[in-house]
Amino acid sequence: MGRIIGIDLGTTNSVVAYMDGNEPRIIVNEEGGRVTPSVVGFSKTGERFVGDVAKRQALINPDCTLHSVKRFIGKRSKEAKDELALVNYKVVEGRNGEVGFDVNGRVYSPPEISAMVLQKLKKSAEDFLGETVTEAIITVPAHFTDRQRQATKDAGTIAGLDVLRIINEPTAAALAFMHERKKSATIAVYDFGGGTFDISIVRVDRDVGEVRATRGDNSLGGNDIDGVIVEWLLQEFMNEHGMDISGERVARQRLLDAAERAKLELSSALETEVHLPFLMADQSGPKHLSRSLKRARFEQMIQPLLDRTIRECEKALADARLRPEDMDEVILVGGSSRIPRVKEMVRDLFRRPLNQSYNPDEVVAIGAAIQGGVLEGEVRSVTLLDVTSLSIGIEVEGRRFAKLIQRNTVIPTQCTRMLSTVIDNQRSVKIHVLQGEGALAAENVSLGDFELSGIEPGPRGAPRVEVKFFIDASGLLSVSAKDLRSGASSNITINSPTSFSKSELEELRDEASTFEKKQLEQGDLKDLRHQVEKVVMALEAMLREKRATLARNELTELEHAVKRGRMSLTKAADRTNLEEVYSWLRRVHGNLKDKLGSRPTVH
C-alpha cells in the first residue's frame, strides 16, 4: 500500500493532507497555496485551468468557468433549481436527467468537473511527496445522500484515485480533535462551509469516538450568503439607474466577486466599500455602482440563513437527547464559521467557549489524512464510530415510505426485510429504494430501483424473498437478495439514475488520464519554447553588444542562429525539431562566448 492522502473536496476551496509519521500535514499546491479553489475554467481553444488560474478568469469568461459544482453533484436537474441563482454558467439537463454543464458545446457532469479538481490535488500531492499517489480518503457533508456519496466516489475514480473511504466532514474534524486531545469530552462540530451546513454531536472517550447525532442542510452555505449580497447590490443598482442587470453574465460575475470580498472583509471590519466602476452602459453613458455596507446591515440581511443553522443544531441535540450545557467544547469548521455573528449565535446556543485552535479551512483534510493513517496502520490509537445521516427504506403500498434503517444508526450496519409476491406465479419482485425522512415516497430522494428475477413460481404470498440492505463505513448502500424457497441468491446493484456504469467510469478515467498526459506534454513544450527564447535573446544581446569584435564568419553564424531560433518560435514546431534547434543554439552561444571571453579587451 502506498501513501494515502486525505482530501477535503470543498464547494469553494479544497485541501489535501497526508500523515508524516504520526503528524498530519497540509500539502502545498503548485502555486504555493495551502488551499486550492474548487474552480475549473476552459478556454475557447480547449485549454483547461484548475484552481487560482481558473478563478482569475471568471470575471472575463464566466460562461466557461465552473464553480460551486459540489452543490450539484448527485442531483437531478429538477432537484437543483435553488442552486441556479448562485452560479453564472449554463446548467442544463445531462445524462439520465442529472445536472449537466454546457461548456463550449460539450456537456460535463458534476463528477467529471469534480474529478478535474481532484486531479489537480493528486498532482500537487505527487509533486510535494515525490512519489505516485493512487489512494485517497475523500470527505463529504454528513447530510449527503447515497447518490451524492457515490457520485463523489465516481469523481475520485475518474481522477485516477482508489477511494478507500468516504467520510463525513464533521467526523473528520472530530478525528483531528481526538488525535491531538487524549481526553473524554462531548463535542459539537459546527460545520458551515461554502455550500453546505452540518452539525454533529460526538462523544469522545479518549481514543474512541461515537457520533451521537448529525443533522444538516446541503443547500446552505457561504454561497447563499454571497447570493444575498448580490441581490442587495442588484436592487441598489436598479434603484439608482433603473436597470435590471441580473441577466448580464459578466456584470453578475463582478457582483459575485465583490460580494465574496465584502463578506470576507466584514469578518474583521465594521464597514466595507463596494466599488464597481463601468458595471454597465447605455446610450447615456457608463453606469457605476458604489455602496457602503456596514456589518450591522450585513448581519440583518443574512440572519434568516443563520437561523436555519441554529434550528439544525437544536434538532441534532434533540436526536442525541442532550442539552446545550452537556457540551464540553464546540469546534467551528468551514470558512463561513468565521463570520462574527455566526460565532456569537453558536456561543449563545451552546453556552460554551468556542474551540478556535483549528484552522477551519484545513481541519477536515487533516481528519481525512488521519483516517488514511488509520488504514495504513500508522495511527493505531483512534477509533470513531460514524452514523448514517438519513433514513433508508422502500416504497410500499399507498406510495408510502417504510424506513428500514433509521437515521443516526451507527455504520456499518445492515437490515433484513422479508418480501413476498402480490400475484400468483409472479416471477420477479421490483423494489424502489429511497432515502430521507418524509412519510410519502415522493418526499424522499430516490436512490433507484432493482428487480430480483427468477423467483420460483407459486401462489401469491408463498415465495419468501429475503432482502438485505447494507451500509458500509463510507455510508454507501448495497443490496443482496435470496429466494428462500429455491435458495437462489444474487447481489443486486441499485440502478441509480445518476450513477455511471463500470464501462463509463473506465472510459472517463482513460479520457482524464489522456488529457492529463497531453497537458503535461503541452506544459513541457511551453517550457522548451521558453528555454529556446532565452537563448535567442542572449544571442541577440551578443549581436548588439559585440558586433564590432566579431569576425565576419562569426557574425554570419550569429545572425543565422538568431534567425533560425526566431523561426522555430513563430511556427508550430514539433518537440523533436525544437529540441534540435535548442541544442544547436546553445552550442553556438557557448562557442562564441568562449571565443569572445579569450580575446583581450581594447582600451
Side-chain angles (χ1 to χ4, degrees):
M1 179 182 289
R3 184 96 64 163
I4 301 174
I5 56 175
I7 296 176
D8 173 13
L9 182 60
T11 306
T12 306
N13 295 301
S14 295
V15 186
V16 57
Y18 76 107
M19 291 301 294
D20 183 6
N22 197 45
E23 289 298 319
R25 301 197 185 281
I26 298 296
I27 290 173
V28 177
N29 62 26
E30 295 163 291
E31 293 77 29
R34 294 169 68 88
V35 299
T36 299
S38 303
V39 183
V40 177
F42 299 84
S43 71
K44 301 297 183 182
T45 58
E47 284 187 283
R48 190 172 79 200
F49 317 101
V50 180
D52 291 294
V53 178
K55 188 175 182 179
R56 285 195 294 270
Q57 81 150 23
L59 288 174
I60 58 173
N61 192 13
D63 284 355
C64 299
T65 308
L66 308 181
H67 61 89
S68 305
V69 170
K70 186 177 177 179
R71 293 284 290 256
F72 296 99
I73 198 165
K75 288 185 178 180
R76 296 176 178 176
S77 295
K78 62 181 181 181
E79 299 170 340
K81 293 180 181 179
D82 294 341
E83 325 297 334
L84 298 180
L86 303 176
V87 300
N88 206 23
Y89 44 81
K90 296 178 185 176
V91 180
V92 299
E93 184 170 316
R95 55 186 297 281
N96 300 327
E98 70 175 342
V99 172
F101 311 118
D102 186 351
V103 182
N104 295 332
R106 172 174 171 175
V107 176
Y108 294 90
S109 67
E112 288 179 85
I113 300 301
S114 297
M116 296 171 191
V117 177
L118 290 172
Q119 272 187 308
K120 164 82 170 176
L121 299 174
K122 177 177 180 286
K123 185 177 185 304
S124 295
E126 290 176 336
D127 292 344
F128 187 89
L129 299 171
E131 60 184 80
T132 301
V133 173
T134 59
E135 297 171 316
I137 308 293
I138 301 179
T139 64
V140 296
H143 226 57
F144 255 24
T145 65
D146 180 84
R147 271 196 352 224
Q148 291 171 303
R149 291 169 190 272
Q150 187 59 60
T152 302
K153 188 173 183 180
D154 288 347
T157 301
I158 295 168
L161 290 166
D162 180 10
V163 183
L164 302 180
R165 187 74 58 85
I166 297 286
I167 65 172
N168 294 334
E169 289 164 3
T171 301
L175 277 171
F177 174 90
M178 292 170 59
H179 184 69
E180 294 184 359
R181 306 278 295 278
K182 304 296 182 182
K183 69 174 186 178
S184 298
T186 301
I187 63 173
V189 182
Y190 180 97
D191 185 355
F192 197 12
T196 59
F197 171 75
D198 287 314
I199 174 69
S200 290
I201 308 299
V202 185
R203 177 59 190 171
V204 177
D205 187 8
R206 293 181 64 82
D207 298 328
V208 178
E210 180 183 358
V211 179
R212 298 284 297 273
T214 189
R215 282 275 187 167
D217 189 331
N218 290 340
S219 298
L220 176 60
N223 286 353
D224 301 275
I225 292 173
D226 295 344
V228 169
I229 300 175
V230 167
E231 290 304 315
W232 174 70
L233 291 173
L234 285 170
Q235 188 60 51
E236 292 292 299
F237 191 84
M238 168 71 84
N239 294 341
E240 182 177 354
H241 300 292
M243 296 175 64
D244 179 8
I245 59 172
S246 57
E248 300 291 335
R249 290 187 183 274
V250 174
R252 191 175 183 88
Q253 188 61 47
R254 291 184 66 189
L255 290 171
L256 280 168
D257 188 62
E260 184 180 12
R261 287 200 311 272
K263 176 185 67 177
L264 296 176
E265 289 172 7
L266 287 172
S267 290
S268 57
L270 295 177
E271 186 176 0
T272 185
E273 299 291 330
V274 177
H275 295 293
L276 293 171
F278 303 98
L279 187 59
M280 283 296 294
D282 62 10
Q283 294 178 346
S284 63
K287 307 298 180 185
H288 317 296
L289 178 63
S290 180
R291 286 293 182 275
S292 174
L293 179 59
K294 296 182 185 296
R295 184 190 288 181
R297 172 66 173 141
F298 168 67
E299 291 176 348
Q300 181 187 38
M301 289 161 55
I302 66 171
Q303 189 63 45
L305 298 177
L306 306 189
D307 287 341
R308 285 165 60 184
T309 73
I310 298 301
R311 286 196 292 270
E312 293 298 327
C313 292
E314 292 169 342
K315 291 175 183 177
L317 285 168
D319 289 345
R321 298 180 182 178
L322 294 171
R323 299 167 300 172
E325 52 266 32
D326 293 327
M327 298 298 103
D328 294 303
E329 291 191 55
V330 180
I331 298 176
L332 297 181
V333 180
S336 300
S337 68
R338 289 191 171 96
I339 297 172
R341 179 59 180 156
V342 169
K343 295 178 182 178
E344 181 184 335
M345 293 178 67
V346 174
R347 191 182 295 112
D348 290 345
L349 171 65
F350 290 102
R351 304 166 200 164
R352 291 290 181 273
L354 306 179
N355 185 333
Q356 300 182 61
S357 60
Y358 302 95
N359 184 325
D361 294 324
E362 299 177 357
V363 64
V364 170
I366 286 173
I370 292 170
Q371 178 63 63
V374 171
L375 298 183
E376 285 179 311
E378 290 188 1
V379 180
R380 304 178 185 275
S381 58
V382 177
T383 302
L384 197 145
L385 304 175
D386 210 341
V387 298
T388 177
S389 58
L390 295 165
S391 300
I392 288 180
I394 59 175
E395 182 178 353
V396 296
E397 188 178 1
R399 296 186 177 179
R400 292 176 293 111
F401 177 51
K403 296 178 182 178
L404 304 183
I405 299 177
Q406 296 284 346
R407 73 164 184 264
N408 292 325
T409 299
V410 176
I411 56 175
T413 186
Q414 70 175 25
C415 173
T416 301
R417 182 84 168 190
M418 299 301 299
L419 303 177
S420 187
T421 53
V422 294
I423 60 175
D424 293 338
N425 299 318
Q426 186 174 331
R427 301 300 301 267
S428 64
V429 175
K430 188 173 183 178
I431 304 296
H432 184 198
V433 182
L434 301 155
Q435 189 171 30
E437 307 304 327
L440 299 178
E443 297 172 345
N444 300 281
V445 175
S446 173
L447 300 183
D449 52 48
F450 68 85
E451 188 170 355
L452 175 66
S453 303
I455 296 175
E456 187 173 316
R460 67 177 184 174
R464 303 284 289 170
V465 178
E466 180 184 75
V467 181
K468 287 185 179 179
F469 293 78
F470 175 70
I471 302 178
D472 65 15
S474 295
L476 296 172
L477 175 68
S478 60
V479 183
S480 63
K482 181 178 181 181
D483 182 355
L484 298 183
R485 296 182 70 206
S486 65
S489 63
S490 64
N491 292 320
I492 299 169
T493 301
I494 298 292
N495 297 315
S496 171
T498 60
S499 64
F500 291 99
S501 66
K502 186 176 180 180
S503 60
E504 287 174 324
L505 276 177
E506 290 176 353
E507 183 178 339
L508 288 171
R509 184 170 182 163
D510 290 343
E511 180 183 335
S513 178
T514 301
F515 189 89
E516 186 177 26
K517 290 177 182 176
K518 184 179 178 182
Q519 289 275 81
L520 288 173
E521 289 172 359
Q522 289 176 343
D524 291 343
L525 188 58
K526 285 182 180 178
D527 289 342
L528 181 57
R529 290 176 63 85
H530 173 66
Q531 295 300 325
V532 170
E533 188 157 17
K534 281 177 64 177
V535 178
V536 171
M537 290 178 70
L539 290 169
E540 288 174 334
M542 184 181 289
L543 190 59
R544 287 193 305 271
E545 299 167 6
K546 305 293 183 180
R547 179 181 290 272
T549 61
L550 291 169
R552 182 178 294 276
N553 63 322
E554 292 171 342
L555 185 61
T556 301
E557 183 181 24
L558 184 53
E559 290 174 338
H560 177 61
V562 169
K563 184 177 180 181
R564 185 180 176 189
R566 283 296 172 196
M567 287 181 62
S568 71
L569 292 171
T570 55
K571 65 179 183 180
D574 59 49
R575 183 180 182 84
T576 302
N577 182 46
L578 206 56
E579 285 176 341
E580 290 176 357
V581 172
Y582 177 55
S583 179
W584 177 72
L585 290 175
R586 288 188 63 188
R587 284 198 304 271
V588 171
H589 180 258
N591 290 338
L592 290 174
K593 191 175 180 181
D594 290 342
K595 289 179 181 179
L596 291 170
S598 64
R599 292 174 186 172
T601 303
V602 179
H603 297 283

